[in-house]
Amino acid sequence: MTGGQARHPRASKTVDLAAEAEGFLLARSHHDAARREAAQLCAGMLWLTTAQAEEVARYYCERRMLLTRHMLRASVQRADELHQEYESRYQELRRALLRRHAACASAVMACAAGAGAAAGMLAR
């Protein structure tokens, strides 16, 4: 659904920049969480050497970020699908409402014309 108002180019750039910054911060927080989880995982594996622990942590972070990216893309895709579904349903409801209003207005006009004709006939 569009609001019918065109955004100012400068406002559009600001909104885009804010969305990009929000995306960066979200990705960064997911990456930090993956690092913490990897550190906790490696801390429980006391038999790992430092190099092995670093490799496990790197691999875990890599896999976790791929999973997160996949889940976010799936969420965005589903949100787009829902947006399209709701948009089409909104348009259908809007057209139905317009038809009903037009029918009611026609009925009111017909009644008014009939009442006017009847009043004219009685006035004679």
Side-chain angles (χ1 to χ4, degrees):
M1 290 184 287
T2 58
Q5 299 176 2
R7 286 195 299 183
H8 191 272
R10 189 174 291 168
S12 177
K13 288 179 184 178
T14 303
V15 169
D16 292 344
L17 181 61
E20 188 175 337
E22 181 182 14
F24 173 79
L25 292 173
L26 181 63
R28 192 73 205 158
S29 72
H30 280 282
H31 190 262
D32 291 344
R35 279 185 170 170
R36 282 191 304 276
E37 291 169 10
Q40 289 173 349
L41 176 68
C42 291
M45 298 180 184
L46 302 175
W47 62 89
L48 292 177
T49 65
T50 302
Q52 289 172 330
E54 288 173 359
E55 181 63 22
V56 168
R58 183 199 60 76
Y59 181 76
Y60 179 87
C61 286
E62 180 182 302
R63 297 300 299 174
R64 171 76 155 53
M65 293 308 292
L66 284 173
L67 176 64
T68 299
R69 190 174 298 124
H70 174 73
M71 289 175 22
L72 287 173
R73 284 184 180 154
S75 295
V76 167
Q77 182 180 359
R78 182 63 182 143
D80 288 341
E81 291 170 1
L82 286 173
H83 177 78
Q84 291 301 320
E85 289 176 24
Y86 286 128
E87 182 72 23
S88 65
R89 181 67 179 143
Y90 172 77
Q91 291 299 330
E92 289 173 21
L93 291 172
R94 194 171 168 185
R95 282 190 291 271
L97 184 63
L98 181 60
R99 281 193 303 271
R100 288 182 186 131
H101 279 267
C104 286
S106 297
V108 166
M109 292 298 287
C111 287
M121 295 275 284
L122 291 176
R124 281 195 224 177

